[in-house]
Amino acid sequence: MDNGLKMFSINELAEFLNVSKKTIRRHIASGKIESTKVGGVHRISMNSINSFLNINKDIAQVDANINKELLRKALTNDAHKKNLFPFESRVPEGKMEDKWNNHKRKINLVSPANKRLIDVIVVGTGLAGASASATLAELGYNVKSFCFQDSSRRAHSIAAQGGINAAKNYQGDGDSVYRLFYDTVKGGDYRSREANVHRLAEVSTNIIDQCVAQGVPFARDYGGLLDNRSFGGVLVSRTFYAKGQTGQQLLLGAYSAMNRQVNRGKIKMYARHEMLELVIVGGKARGIIARNLITGKLERHSAHAVVIASGGYGNVFFLSTNAMGSNVTAAWKIHKKGAYFANPCFTQIHPTCIPVSGENQSKLTLMSESLRNDGRIWVPKKKEDVKKILEKKLKPTDIDESDRDYYLERRYPAFGNLVPRDVASRAAKERCDAGYGVNKTGEAVYLDFQSAILRYGKEQAYSKGLDVKNNSLVEKLGKEIIKQKYGNLFEMYEKITDENPYETPMMIYPAVHYTMGGVWVDYNLMTTVPGCYAIGEANFSDHGANRLGASALMQGLADGYFVLPYTIGDYLSSDIRTGKISIDTKEFEIAEKEALRKLSFFIDNKGSKPVDYFHKKLGRIMWDKCGMSRNKLELKDAILEIKKLKKDFYKNVFVPGELYDYNEELAKAGRVADFIELGELFARDALEREESCGGHFREEHQTKEGEALRDDENFNFVSAWEFKGSESNPMLHKEKLIFDSVELKSRSYK
Amino acid sequence: MKLNLKIWRQKNKDSKGKVHDYELDGVEEDMSFLEMLDFLNNKLLNEGQEPVAFDHDCREGICGSCSLFINGVAHGPERGTTTCQLHMRKFKDGETVYVEPFRAKAFPVIKDLIVDRSSFDRIQQAGAYISVNTSGNTQDANTIPIPKHNADEAFNAATCIGCGACVASCKNSSAMLFTSAKVSQFSLLPQGQVERESRVLNMVNQMDLEGFGACTNTGACEAQCPKGISVKNIARMNREYLLASVKK
């Protein structure tokens, strides 16, 4: 019989698609699935399934040609193994709790004597890069680390404020590895790979032990034990912190571990270097071309494996909470050399940032999510109050309690001010779009600490035996507690806005903060280019469509300390006899020439507009059309506009100075060129994903109450994009997501 | 507002630099100092000139990239503030503002306002760590309780951002505040005890090798430190150093 003629029963199809039989019957009834009745029972052909799933044409063809025997096998045993995705995700077999341990037991190892013969390049020295460099060097590999900053200690992980999650259950409030796993999958709106998230939750506890052993000064209580606080989207306190500088302390911990290895000669540090090309030899990643940012010279560096830990691409929006230098270049270069880029449209817009103040603003500043533990978010209930505030006739503190709309507490009573970031951001936008924004741009809401100040003050007064009814005393005591908890954040706010947040509520508004999307990796964190790995924010794997607070630090360190150093051995075990990789080969020469060609183009270009002009324009398109809410029309528009911008950029960009010299404009030009290309893919991905999930909100897909409407039947997959040359469109591959341990549910925080 | 800027320009480490004058109109109060320099650079670029090079990255006062000696003060007139968080509302219309790089023998100028602070990294590499491998079997984090006071003190010392303002503002270009902050952090914690003596000896030795000067207790470093690192740390380091030398 012909392969394409296999007919499915409803049972089989339901199992195959991982949906209920009822759903299949409904679709047959509505005509969405074409079915033929054979002897009174429904039978569905492969072709009608394909047209129902609207699968990419090429893939559909592959499917139709699948051997019938294979198909039956896939249907009867483990349906999820049948994967149209061209790469294996390499998720190990077994029960969820055992996968990682089993995997570690089974993977190949490299002996200590052989590790000395193997070189590894790590690009980026944030939490993921620094921890990976240190651990790989401890294990005995020869590590070369690269960062564009003047010191590895300045990577942008340093700016993370709030904390790091770990399932330690020190508070005895019912936390567990499973709960952290569950919260993260749910928080990510069921768009992450289950097994990766479970592993993350498992190693989370090791991270805290490791950091404490390194001398990271976490906050402690009076008994000398570690203190915790709570973050958005969860019902337990599992966040470890060091005031508002957790990222700094963790990064400096990883930096110290790196320094130890630099001192031993196991890490060679290349600061002020930027990776410009990946070099592939014999189908494997074997090195990079880097530019020394001081001399401007190009350098060839070889290794047996290349690890990309270059962070996220939030700066595609120009204004974001990322550092000025944060860029997508390393990730984008490997994408153009064959690494798939996954879920580019999954971007996190953080709800609590200082609002934009003027035209010349260069970046946005985050106010830690931890503030939502004690701050209450509100806007006035009455529009006339809004008007009076803008005219400075009324102060926010004058508005009566009953005239305030604590909209998060109103809409989400269970989680209140601690709903996940995507939900909080959209709610703020909704209020501001409705005309309740409280600053001149109409894009700000209040974050108010008054009730926390009174609450803490009363506690203090009571425990010290002072007069609880003395308001000024209570306020004073309360402010001291708030100062202890968030002192540096309050100071920072005051410096930037010139307003004292102890006296008047903070003004905040959402801003681009983190990118869940990134380079596609398998369970071993290897990209689709053999020997090229991506870790930390640079990869896509753990946060799905939305990241929970205090999980970025956890993922960065988990990847770098506890996952990559193990999994990379599996690949490198075949390289023990390879010997040093020569840099005097054709492949290196070609890659170097390619990098040189691009740089010379910018220097020789006779344009007139500075790089920032284009970057700001790109940012505007992205924020307006691919920002907090998106729709088909605008996304299509965005793609066209970005194409136009790209032309304009290459024609009119002006880069002064010389190639072989310190030249920041030249470095920026290269980064913006990559951002423009990424921006287009971003919009394309957002357009393809016809559902709302996590940070990706499509206006066409929402409930009557304006909540996100996910479509698990059609979009329960990872979008992995393959680069097909700069003249043709990228190709979409879908890695289907399987949820064995967590039931797919609509996410509710009400 | 309008500013008369006097900015240090220097092509590279081998060439001689000098102060250039720039008149800049249209500066807004809400701009940060670095945004004001962006604004100037944008103007220069539109005129086809090379922009002023300066180090910067996070622009939220934590990475320690930005430096600048503004009107003779590291990070400018506002106390406890990095240049990126200094706002133009602290300046007056028509004011003359001098902008220079951090100056010290151990911080050679790379270009314009950018200096090479890799000597700081080398001090850290000499011993600012606890020798513990990443094994996944370290003991549970709560097995050693640490008195809150010590943990807080260690944290305060650990908030140093490594910007180099202490060196730039010291008449001897001493790196004692920077080095002592790290020495203090580890000497206050139980985890740091094992290598306590070798650490302080090695770090101080490296500090001297890099060409940083001695400390004469003027306290300028603490006054201009954007993170308010206390000179008490220097006293602690001196004590640690003395003890370690005697025991050696």
Side-chain angles (χ1 to χ4, degrees):
Chain A
M1 224 203 313
D2 191 275
N3 289 336
L5 290 183
K6 150 88 184 173
M7 301 290 261
F8 289 80
S9 71
I10 289 179
N11 273 352
E12 281 176 318
L13 186 60
E15 196 186 337
F16 178 39
L17 295 178
N18 203 14
V19 296
S20 75
K21 282 179 266 177
K22 231 173 155 183
T23 311
I24 303 288
R25 286 185 193 281
R26 206 177 63 235
H27 286 312
I28 292 175
S30 68
K32 275 192 187 166
I33 297 180
E34 208 186 297
S35 149
T36 325
K37 281 208 169 176
V38 183
V41 289
H42 284 287
R43 285 292 178 266
I44 304 127
S45 75
M46 200 64 218
N47 287 342
S48 66
I49 298 172
N50 281 335
S51 62
F52 168 69
L53 289 176
N54 193 17
I55 294 177
N56 208 307
K57 223 176 160 191
D58 318 19
I59 299 178
Q61 268 162 12
V62 173
D63 199 35
N65 292 331
I66 274 181
N67 185 308
K68 202 175 69 180
E69 199 49 43
L70 273 176
L71 200 65
R72 183 174 300 139
K73 213 170 144 196
L75 279 175
T76 43
N77 291 331
D78 24 26
H80 67 275
K81 271 183 82 184
K82 206 202 86 29
N83 201 344
L84 305 177
F85 193 69
F87 283 88
E88 272 287 330
S89 62
R90 287 175 208 263
V91 172
E93 295 297 318
K95 280 202 293 196
M96 193 54 75
E97 313 74 277
D98 304 329
K99 282 180 195 282
W100 174 231
N101 277 331
N102 286 345
H103 189 61
K104 275 197 290 187
R105 246 173 257 148
K106 281 182 198 156
I107 54 179
N108 293 317
L109 298 177
V110 182
S111 80
N114 286 328
K115 283 188 183 120
R116 271 180 246 134
L117 307 174
I118 292 179
D119 305 330
V120 182
I121 284 174
V122 181
V123 180
T125 57
L127 284 178
S131 57
S133 295
T135 309
L136 289 168
E138 283 164 14
L139 288 170
Y141 297 109
N142 307 307
V143 178
K144 292 179 176 182
S145 297
F146 293 81
C147 69
F148 70 81
Q149 297 90 345
D150 75 322
S151 161
S152 55
R153 67 178 291 156
R154 308 205 199 282
H156 197 53
S157 301
I158 202 147
Q161 299 170 350
I164 177 165
N165 287 332
K168 279 283 196 189
N169 193 27
Y170 282 161
Q171 305 304 321
D173 54 2
D175 199 10
S176 62
V177 166
Y178 180 82
R179 195 171 280 275
L180 174 54
F181 157 69
Y182 174 80
D183 286 342
T184 309
V185 171
K186 178 185 171 194
D189 217 351
Y190 305 92
R191 289 294 173 264
S192 46
R193 200 188 282 147
E194 231 186 7
N196 287 49
V197 180
H198 199 275
R199 173 175 67 189
L200 176 68
E202 282 173 59
V203 302
S204 68
T205 56
N206 297 134
I207 296 172
I208 302 303
D209 297 342
Q210 180 64 25
C211 292
V212 166
Q214 281 172 348
V216 171
F218 283 116
R220 287 174 184 269
D221 59 25
Y222 285 99
L225 301 179
L226 292 161
D227 197 16
N228 291 112
R229 58 185 172 203
S230 186
F231 258 63
V234 300
L235 297 168
V236 293
S237 288
R238 64 161 73 99
T239 305
F240 294 79
Y241 66 100
K243 268 199 183 163
Q245 287 114 300
T246 318
Q248 179 194 30
Q249 295 310 316
L250 293 174
L251 185 66
L252 293 181
Y255 168 71
S256 76
M258 263 182 100
N259 281 336
R260 179 170 157 237
Q261 299 305 321
V262 172
N263 199 29
R264 276 181 70 209
K266 291 304 288 182
I267 294 181
K268 178 101 182 68
M269 188 62 228
Y270 296 87
R272 292 197 196 267
H273 275 66
E274 182 162 26
M275 167 183 160
L276 293 181
E277 284 294 339
L278 176 73
V279 183
I280 297 180
V281 183
K284 293 177 170 178
R286 290 301 197 193
I288 62 170
I289 303 296
R291 181 161 176 264
N292 178 329
L293 294 176
I294 295 177
T295 62
K297 298 248 161 61
L298 291 178
E299 297 170 4
R300 301 176 183 185
H301 293 276
S302 70
H304 297 84
V306 176
V307 180
I308 302 297
S310 55
Y313 49 85
N315 271 347
V316 67
F317 287 85
F318 185 72
L319 282 182
S320 82
T321 66
N322 285 6
M324 300 302 286
S326 301
N327 65 79
V328 76
T329 292
W332 196 250
K333 295 301 184 201
I334 67 166
H335 172 58
K336 290 176 92 166
K337 285 275 165 81
Y340 289 4
F341 208 96
N343 299 335
C345 79
F346 287 167
T347 309
Q348 179 160 79
I349 315 267
H350 195 292
T352 51
C353 299
I354 300 178
V356 177
S357 67
E359 275 287 298
N360 294 295
Q361 192 144 358
S362 58
K363 79 154 269 161
L364 297 172
T365 305
L366 177 80
M367 289 281 107
S368 168
E369 173 161 312
S370 59
L371 292 173
R372 286 199 275 144
N373 269 301
D374 285 316
R376 298 175 71 196
I377 296 176
W378 62 278
V379 291
K381 259 186 198 160
K382 299 188 214 151
K383 283 217 173 131
E384 55 263 35
D385 284 350
V386 175
K387 209 171 151 211
K388 278 186 204 153
I389 285 173
L390 297 185
E391 288 164 352
K392 306 229 154 122
K393 284 181 190 154
L394 193 67
K395 283 197 232 151
T397 40
D398 298 337
I399 296 179
D400 198 61
E401 198 64 20
S402 59
D403 288 331
R404 300 177 177 192
D405 177 13
Y406 294 95
Y407 57 86
L408 286 176
E409 296 169 27
R410 168 170 60 81
R411 286 178 66 178
Y412 308 101
F415 282 70
N417 292 295
L418 281 174
V419 289
R421 291 173 176 176
D422 54 334
V423 179
S425 292
R426 271 200 299 279
K429 180 174 161 40
E430 188 273 328
R431 281 293 82 190
C432 290
D433 287 351
Y436 293 93
V438 292
N439 73 353
K440 60 181 178 196
T441 61
E443 295 194 331
V445 298
Y446 289 125
L447 178 64
D448 196 331
F449 293 88
Q450 192 57 22
S451 49
I453 287 173
L454 294 179
R455 175 162 46 89
Y456 286 125
K458 275 186 192 147
E459 259 175 46
Q460 283 291 305
Y462 181 79
S463 68
K464 286 183 178 161
L466 300 169
D467 182 10
V468 185
K469 293 207 175 83
N470 181 343
N471 271 343
S472 66
L473 176 81
V474 165
E475 245 182 61
K476 187 170 159 270
L477 292 169
K479 279 176 191 167
E480 271 165 27
I481 299 288
I482 291 286
K483 190 173 181 183
Q484 274 174 30
K485 290 186 121 177
Y486 313 111
N488 69 316
L489 298 172
F490 275 52
E491 268 171 39
M492 187 152 88
Y493 182 86
E494 187 168 356
K495 270 176 208 157
I496 293 173
T497 62
D498 213 20
E499 279 186 358
N500 179 356
Y502 293 101
E503 303 297 336
T504 179
M506 285 185 180
M507 279 198 269
I508 52 157
Y509 197 67
V512 175
H513 175 56
Y514 185 90
T515 50
M516 283 75 68
V519 181
W520 186 90
V521 288
D522 63 14
Y523 190 73
N524 286 338
L525 304 181
M526 187 154 86
T527 68
T528 51
V529 176
C532 182
Y533 289 76
I535 57 175
E537 191 180 347
N539 76 23
F540 86 102
S541 72
D542 296 353
H543 305 299
N546 172 57
R547 179 175 65 74
L548 289 181
S551 285
L553 303 187
M554 172 171 69
Q555 188 221 339
L557 289 180
D559 285 0
Y561 280 136
F562 296 109
V563 181
L564 177 90
Y566 284 103
T567 58
I568 203 170
D570 196 39
Y571 170 81
L572 290 172
S573 62
S574 63
D575 256 332
I576 51 177
R577 283 183 233 291
T578 310
K580 200 126 192 98
I581 308 287
S582 166
I583 54 168
D584 299 316
T585 56
K586 215 176 182 111
E587 288 86 351
F588 274 94
E589 198 187 316
I590 293 170
E592 188 182 321
K593 274 193 180 148
E594 181 57 22
L596 194 61
R597 190 185 61 77
K598 283 177 193 152
L599 293 169
S600 321
F601 169 85
F602 289 122
I603 295 286
D604 298 340
N605 202 36
K606 299 278 170 280
S608 60
K609 288 175 186 145
V611 177
D612 274 356
Y613 167 84
F614 298 97
H615 197 176
K616 282 183 184 176
K617 268 195 139 175
L618 175 67
R620 201 68 246 179
I621 300 171
M622 297 303 292
W623 182 247
D624 288 345
K625 299 187 169 158
C626 312
M628 261 187 285
S629 74
R630 304 152 179 183
N631 64 53
K632 193 174 220 164
L633 212 65
E634 286 187 341
L635 287 169
K636 283 190 170 164
D637 227 29
I639 295 174
L640 292 179
E641 278 187 45
I642 294 170
K643 277 190 192 292
K644 253 199 275 172
L645 182 70
K646 188 174 171 182
K647 262 196 195 142
D648 188 21
F649 173 73
Y650 280 103
K651 193 163 166 229
N652 291 317
V653 70
F654 165 62
V655 174
E658 295 152 36
L659 205 158
Y660 297 117
D661 193 4
Y662 183 93
N663 189 341
E664 198 187 354
E665 287 298 308
L666 180 57
K668 264 162 57 179
R671 293 170 195 165
V672 170
D674 293 333
F675 274 134
I676 291 175
E677 293 182 12
L678 165 83
E680 192 187 322
L681 185 72
F682 187 125
R684 202 175 280 280
D685 186 46
L687 182 65
E688 284 287 329
R689 194 168 278 280
E690 293 248 21
E691 63 163 347
S692 295
C693 61
H696 172 64
F697 189 77
R698 281 287 296 265
E699 286 158 14
E700 302 93 327
H701 303 281
Q702 54 180 312
T703 63
K704 270 188 206 129
E705 300 88 46
E707 304 293 340
L709 204 57
R710 221 175 55 216
D711 180 354
D712 289 331
E713 283 183 29
N714 299 307
F715 291 94
N716 187 19
F717 59 77
V718 175
S719 311
W721 294 89
E722 183 184 357
F723 183 73
K724 286 285 191 189
S726 36
E727 297 311 313
S728 21
N729 286 337
M731 183 171 164
L732 174 64
H733 300 278
K734 300 171 181 178
E735 182 202 341
K736 190 165 165 33
L737 291 167
I738 313 292
F739 292 93
D740 287 331
S741 307
V742 178
E743 191 194 348
L744 269 171
K745 279 199 290 208
S746 91
R747 202 169 59 132
S748 168
Y749 292 96
K750 287 192 186 274
Chain B
M1 60 202 240
K2 194 171 168 182
L3 293 176
N4 299 311
L5 295 166
K6 291 181 177 293
I7 298 179
W8 183 263
R9 302 294 310 252
Q10 180 172 340
K11 181 146 177 50
N12 54 43
K13 73 176 189 332
D14 302 318
S15 57
K16 261 195 165 170
K18 65 172 204 168
V19 172
H20 276 242
D21 288 4
Y22 298 97
E23 260 193 18
L24 190 62
D25 205 356
V27 176
E28 286 162 23
E29 283 201 333
D30 281 341
M31 285 181 185
S32 71
F33 198 84
L34 296 185
E35 282 165 357
M36 184 275 290
L37 289 180
D38 289 343
F39 186 59
L40 169 70
N41 279 345
N42 193 47
K43 189 176 156 222
L44 293 177
L45 282 164
N46 281 323
E47 292 162 3
Q49 298 183 54
E50 248 194 84
V52 179
F54 60 93
D55 259 331
H56 64 105
D57 199 28
C58 80
R59 298 211 177 180
E60 44 189 283
I62 193 80
C63 75
S65 293
C66 63
S67 49
L68 306 189
F69 225 53
I70 301 164
N71 286 341
V73 184
H75 294 296
E78 178 91 335
R79 280 215 170 183
T81 306
T82 54
T83 300
C84 62
Q85 295 203 303
L86 173 67
H87 280 70
M88 297 316 291
R89 59 181 88 96
K90 304 288 172 194
F91 295 86
K92 288 192 285 289
D93 187 25
E95 197 173 331
T96 300
V97 183
Y98 285 84
V99 190
E100 295 168 83
F102 278 179
R103 298 214 185 269
K105 187 179 151 202
F107 287 172
V109 172
I110 290 174
K111 183 172 182 155
D112 295 345
L113 302 169
I114 296 180
V115 296
D116 179 358
R117 287 172 287 193
S118 53
S119 46
F120 267 17
D121 284 325
R122 289 188 292 273
I123 294 175
Q124 300 274 326
Q125 285 153 13
Y129 46 77
I130 288 165
S131 298
V132 52
N133 277 359
T134 317
S135 63
N137 318 318
T138 34
Q139 60 183 336
D140 183 86
N142 255 351
T143 29
I144 320 168
I146 301 173
K148 184 171 167 55
H149 176 74
N150 288 2
D152 287 351
E153 277 280 284
F155 170 81
N156 288 339
T159 55
C160 166
I161 58 173
C163 64
C166 47
V167 174
S169 41
C170 175
K171 61 178 176 153
N172 307 322
S173 297
S174 168
M176 288 286 273
L177 192 67
F178 170 78
T179 311
S180 68
K182 208 70 200 172
V183 168
S184 287
Q185 179 197 341
F186 288 136
S187 70
L188 283 161
L189 296 172
Q191 300 93 316
Q193 299 310 308
V194 179
E195 296 157 291
R196 187 171 177 174
E197 284 139 20
S198 59
R199 177 180 305 118
V200 66
L201 294 175
N202 290 339
M203 286 179 72
V204 170
N205 181 39
Q206 187 63 37
M207 182 180 86
D208 293 341
L209 283 178
E210 295 290 346
F212 290 103
C215 173
T216 46
N217 296 315
T218 58
C221 51
E222 180 185 303
Q224 294 194 18
C225 173
K227 296 294 149 182
I229 305 290
S230 162
V231 286
K232 273 193 212 154
N233 291 307
I234 296 182
R236 189 180 287 114
M237 181 165 83
N238 284 334
R239 205 161 56 231
E240 294 282 325
Y241 186 80
L242 190 68
L243 269 170
S245 323
V246 173
K247 276 197 190 169
K248 196 167 77 169

